[in-house]
Protein backbone atom coordinates (compact mmCIF):
# COMPACT_ATOMS: atom_id res chain seq x y z
CA UNK A 1 0.00 0.00 0.00
CA UNK A 2 1.27 3.47 -0.79
CA UNK A 3 1.57 6.11 1.93
CA UNK A 4 -1.69 7.94 2.74
CA UNK A 5 -1.74 11.61 3.72
CA UNK A 6 -4.83 12.57 5.63
CA UNK A 7 -6.18 15.26 7.91
CA UNK A 8 -9.01 14.55 10.35
CA UNK A 9 -11.08 17.50 11.51
CA UNK A 10 -13.80 17.63 14.11
CA UNK A 11 -14.87 19.46 17.21
CA UNK A 12 -13.28 18.48 20.48
CA UNK A 13 -15.35 15.60 21.81
CA UNK A 14 -16.34 14.36 18.33
CA UNK A 15 -14.54 11.04 18.84
CA UNK A 16 -11.77 12.20 16.50
CA UNK A 17 -8.91 10.89 18.67
CA UNK A 18 -10.45 7.43 19.06
CA UNK A 19 -11.20 7.12 15.37
CA UNK A 20 -7.76 8.47 14.43
CA UNK A 21 -6.11 5.74 16.53
CA UNK A 22 -8.06 3.09 14.60
CA UNK A 23 -7.44 4.70 11.21
CA UNK A 24 -3.66 4.74 11.61
CA UNK A 25 -3.73 0.98 12.19
CA UNK A 26 -6.06 0.36 9.25
CA UNK A 27 -3.96 2.47 6.85
CA UNK A 28 -0.56 1.65 8.40
CA UNK A 29 0.25 5.31 8.76
CA UNK A 30 1.65 7.73 11.36
CA UNK A 31 -0.70 9.40 13.85
CA UNK A 32 0.36 13.02 14.35
CA UNK A 33 -1.77 14.50 17.12
CA UNK A 34 -0.61 17.97 18.07
CA UNK A 35 -2.69 17.79 21.28
CA UNK A 36 -0.94 14.53 22.29
CA UNK A 37 2.48 16.02 21.44
CA UNK A 38 1.74 19.09 23.54
CA UNK A 39 0.38 17.05 26.46
CA UNK A 40 3.53 14.90 26.37
CA UNK A 41 5.65 18.06 26.49
CA UNK A 42 3.62 19.36 29.43
CA UNK A 43 4.02 16.03 31.24
CA UNK A 44 7.77 15.99 30.63
CA UNK A 45 8.02 19.64 31.69
CA UNK A 46 10.09 20.57 28.65
CA UNK A 47 10.48 24.22 27.73
CA UNK A 48 7.71 23.81 25.16
CA UNK A 49 5.50 22.16 27.77
CA UNK A 50 6.02 24.98 30.22
CA UNK A 51 5.10 27.49 27.52
CA UNK A 52 2.05 25.56 26.36
CA UNK A 53 0.51 24.55 29.67
CA UNK A 54 -1.32 27.73 30.69
CA UNK A 55 -2.54 28.27 27.13
CA UNK A 56 -3.95 24.73 26.96
CA UNK A 57 -5.57 24.91 30.40
CA UNK A 58 -7.38 28.08 29.35
CA UNK A 59 -8.66 26.37 26.19
CA UNK A 60 -6.75 28.85 24.02
CA UNK A 61 -4.66 27.94 20.99
CA UNK A 62 -0.89 27.67 21.13
CA UNK A 63 0.75 30.17 18.75
CA UNK A 64 0.84 29.31 15.05
CA UNK A 65 4.62 29.70 14.72
CA UNK A 66 5.27 27.33 17.58
CA UNK A 67 2.86 24.65 16.38
CA UNK A 68 3.90 25.00 12.71
CA UNK A 69 7.50 24.42 13.77
CA UNK A 70 6.60 21.29 15.73
CA UNK A 71 4.59 19.86 12.82
CA UNK A 72 7.25 20.70 10.21
CA UNK A 73 9.82 18.85 12.29
CA UNK A 74 7.55 15.82 12.70
CA UNK A 75 6.64 15.67 8.99
CA UNK A 76 10.32 15.61 8.08
CA UNK A 77 10.92 12.28 9.88
CA UNK A 78 11.61 9.07 7.95
CA UNK A 79 8.51 7.20 9.17
CA UNK A 80 6.30 9.88 7.62
CA UNK A 81 8.15 9.70 4.30
CA UNK A 82 7.56 5.94 4.27
CA UNK A 83 4.05 5.63 5.75
CA UNK A 84 2.43 9.04 5.27
CA UNK A 85 0.42 10.60 8.09
CA UNK A 86 -2.90 11.22 9.71
CA UNK A 87 -2.89 14.74 11.14
CA UNK A 88 -5.23 15.07 14.12
CA UNK A 89 -5.78 18.50 15.71
CA UNK A 90 -3.81 20.29 12.98
CA UNK A 91 -4.35 22.50 11.04
CA UNK A 92 -6.62 24.52 13.29
CA UNK A 93 -6.25 28.02 11.84
CA UNK A 94 -5.96 29.42 8.29
CA UNK A 95 -2.31 30.23 8.96
CA UNK A 96 -1.64 26.60 9.91
CA UNK A 97 -3.46 25.37 6.80
CA UNK A 98 -1.26 27.57 4.59
CA UNK A 99 1.84 26.38 6.41
CA UNK A 100 0.82 22.75 5.85
CA UNK A 101 0.21 23.42 2.18
CA UNK A 102 3.71 24.88 1.99
CA UNK A 103 5.34 21.91 3.75
CA UNK A 104 3.63 19.42 1.44
CA UNK A 105 4.38 21.38 -1.72
CA UNK A 106 8.02 21.56 -0.72
CA UNK A 107 8.13 17.81 -0.13
CA UNK A 108 6.20 17.14 -3.36
CA UNK A 109 3.69 15.00 -1.45
CA UNK A 110 0.08 16.16 -1.94
CA UNK A 111 -2.66 15.32 0.56
CA UNK A 112 -5.26 12.66 -0.18
CA UNK A 113 -8.17 14.04 1.85
CA UNK A 114 -9.38 16.06 4.81
CA UNK A 115 -12.16 14.26 6.63
CA UNK A 116 -14.54 16.20 8.83
CA UNK A 117 -16.04 14.07 11.58
CA UNK A 118 -19.29 15.92 12.03
CA UNK A 119 -20.93 15.95 15.49
CA UNK A 120 -23.23 18.80 16.59
CA UNK A 121 -22.15 21.24 19.31
CA UNK A 122 -24.74 20.09 21.89
CA UNK A 123 -23.60 16.50 21.60
CA UNK A 124 -19.85 17.22 21.90
CA UNK A 125 -20.47 19.47 24.91
CA UNK A 126 -22.32 16.67 26.72
CA UNK A 127 -19.56 14.20 25.86
CA UNK A 128 -16.75 16.48 27.07
CA UNK A 129 -18.46 17.23 30.37
CA UNK A 130 -18.87 13.47 30.86
CA UNK A 131 -15.21 12.58 30.15
CA UNK A 132 -13.99 15.00 32.85
CA UNK A 133 -10.38 15.55 31.70
CA UNK A 134 -8.30 17.95 33.83
CA UNK A 135 -8.29 20.64 31.13
CA UNK A 136 -12.05 20.20 30.53
CA UNK A 137 -13.46 22.94 32.76
CA UNK A 138 -16.80 24.33 31.57
CA UNK A 139 -15.11 27.60 30.66
CA UNK A 140 -12.29 25.93 28.72
CA UNK A 141 -14.77 23.71 26.85
CA UNK A 142 -16.79 26.74 25.83
CA UNK A 143 -13.67 28.59 24.75
CA UNK A 144 -12.44 25.65 22.65
CA UNK A 145 -15.79 25.28 20.92
CA UNK A 146 -15.91 29.03 20.21
CA UNK A 147 -12.43 28.88 18.74
CA UNK A 148 -13.40 25.89 16.66
CA UNK A 149 -16.26 27.81 15.09
CA UNK A 150 -14.25 30.98 14.49
CA UNK A 151 -10.82 29.56 13.55
CA UNK A 152 -11.18 25.95 12.48
CA UNK A 153 -14.64 25.69 10.86
CA UNK A 154 -13.55 28.10 8.06
CA UNK A 155 -10.95 25.50 7.12
CA UNK A 156 -13.75 23.24 5.92
CA UNK A 157 -14.36 25.67 3.07
CA UNK A 158 -10.61 25.94 2.53
CA UNK A 159 -10.29 22.16 2.05
CA UNK A 160 -13.50 22.00 0.00
CA UNK A 161 -12.13 24.63 -2.43
CA UNK A 162 -9.14 22.37 -2.98
CA UNK A 163 -11.37 19.36 -3.64
CA UNK A 164 -10.09 17.58 -0.53
CA UNK A 165 -13.04 17.64 1.88
CA UNK A 166 -15.05 14.58 2.92
CA UNK A 167 -17.79 15.04 5.54
CA UNK A 168 -18.64 12.00 7.65
CA UNK A 169 -21.51 11.77 10.15
CA UNK A 170 -19.91 11.21 13.57
CA UNK A 171 -23.10 10.23 15.42
CA UNK A 172 -23.79 6.63 16.32
CA UNK A 173 -21.81 3.56 17.34
CA UNK A 174 -18.00 3.77 17.14
CA UNK A 175 -17.80 0.86 14.67
CA UNK A 176 -20.40 2.39 12.39
CA UNK A 177 -18.58 5.73 12.37
CA UNK A 178 -15.31 3.93 11.63
CA UNK A 179 -16.87 2.15 8.64
CA UNK A 180 -18.19 5.47 7.32
CA UNK A 181 -14.71 6.96 7.64
CA UNK A 182 -12.91 4.14 5.84
CA UNK A 183 -15.55 4.12 3.10
CA UNK A 184 -15.02 7.84 2.49
CA UNK A 185 -11.21 7.54 2.60
CA UNK A 186 -11.11 4.44 0.35
CA UNK A 187 -13.23 6.27 -2.19
CA UNK A 188 -10.73 9.14 -2.18
CA UNK A 189 -7.75 6.82 -2.52
CA UNK A 190 -9.29 4.96 -5.45
CA UNK A 191 -10.06 8.27 -7.19
CA UNK A 192 -6.40 9.20 -6.69
CA UNK A 193 -5.24 5.89 -8.21
CA UNK A 194 -7.43 6.31 -11.27
CA UNK A 195 -6.14 9.76 -12.19
P1 LIG B 1 -6.53 18.67 21.35
O1 LIG B 1 -6.18 17.43 22.10
O2 LIG B 1 -6.31 18.56 19.88
O3 LIG B 1 -7.92 19.16 21.67
O4 LIG B 1 -5.54 19.81 21.85
C1 LIG B 1 -5.49 20.22 23.20
C2 LIG B 1 -4.98 21.64 23.29
O5 LIG B 1 -3.66 21.73 22.71
C3 LIG B 1 -5.80 22.65 22.53
O6 LIG B 1 -6.89 23.13 23.27
C4 LIG B 1 -4.77 23.75 22.26
O7 LIG B 1 -4.52 24.52 23.43
C5 LIG B 1 -3.52 22.94 21.99
N1 LIG B 1 -3.39 22.61 20.54
C6 LIG B 1 -3.44 21.37 19.96
N2 LIG B 1 -3.28 21.44 18.64
C7 LIG B 1 -3.15 22.75 18.35
C8 LIG B 1 -2.99 23.48 17.13
N3 LIG B 1 -2.94 22.86 15.94
N4 LIG B 1 -2.87 24.83 17.22
C9 LIG B 1 -2.91 25.47 18.41
N5 LIG B 1 -3.08 24.85 19.58
C10 LIG B 1 -3.20 23.49 19.56
Amino acid sequence: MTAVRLVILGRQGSGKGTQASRLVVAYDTVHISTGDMLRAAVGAETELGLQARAVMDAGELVGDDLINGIVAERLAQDDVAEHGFLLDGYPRTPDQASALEGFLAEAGTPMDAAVNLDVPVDEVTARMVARGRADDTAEAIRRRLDLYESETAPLLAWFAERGLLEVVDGLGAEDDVFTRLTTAIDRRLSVGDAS
Side-chain angles (χ1 to χ4, degrees):
M1 195 196 283
T2 55
V4 297
R5 295 181 203 87
L6 303 166
V7 168
I8 187 163
L9 297 154
R11 296 187 175 90
Q12 292 80 3
S14 61
K16 181 166 58 71
T18 305
Q19 296 292 348
S21 298
R22 296 182 61 169
L23 289 170
V24 293
V25 174
Y27 291 96
D28 186 26
T29 193
V30 179
H31 189 184
I32 304 181
S33 160
T34 46
D36 284 352
M37 289 166 88
L38 290 169
R39 277 185 289 277
V42 169
E45 299 186 339
T46 63
E47 196 178 322
L48 164 67
L50 296 174
Q51 278 182 54
R53 184 180 187 149
V55 177
M56 292 171 74
D57 283 348
E60 298 292 335
L61 293 176
V62 171
D64 284 329
D65 287 348
L66 187 71
I67 206 86
N68 287 336
I70 293 170
V71 170
E73 220 170 81
R74 187 65 190 87
L75 288 176
Q77 312 268 312
D78 290 346
D79 58 343
V80 172
E82 192 178 340
H83 296 276
F85 57 78
L86 175 65
L87 276 169
D88 166 10
Y90 179 97
R92 248 185 172 85
T93 67
D95 183 80
Q96 293 178 16
S98 306
L100 175 62
E101 194 171 43
F103 304 149
L104 297 181
E106 206 172 300
T109 52
M111 255 176 65
D112 295 305
V115 186
N116 181 37
L117 188 57
D118 193 28
V119 178
V121 173
D122 288 354
E123 172 68 20
V124 293
T125 306
R127 290 185 192 178
M128 273 197 282
V129 169
R131 80 181 178 185
R133 219 168 61 188
D135 59 349
D136 280 350
T137 62
E139 183 55 36
I141 290 171
R142 200 164 29 242
R143 183 65 188 142
R144 286 200 210 99
L145 290 173
D146 283 353
L147 277 175
Y148 188 85
E149 299 313 317
S150 63
E151 297 285 330
T152 308
L155 297 184
L156 300 178
W158 192 94
F159 283 115
E161 277 162 22
R162 286 157 179 77
L164 291 169
L165 186 67
E166 285 284 338
V167 179
V168 170
D169 177 7
L171 286 178
E174 188 188 310
D175 284 350
D176 294 340
V177 175
F178 183 69
T179 302
R180 282 177 219 145
L181 284 165
T182 54
T183 303
I185 293 167
D186 289 348
R187 191 169 54 226
R188 281 279 154 176
L189 297 176
S190 64
V191 169
D193 287 347
S195 63

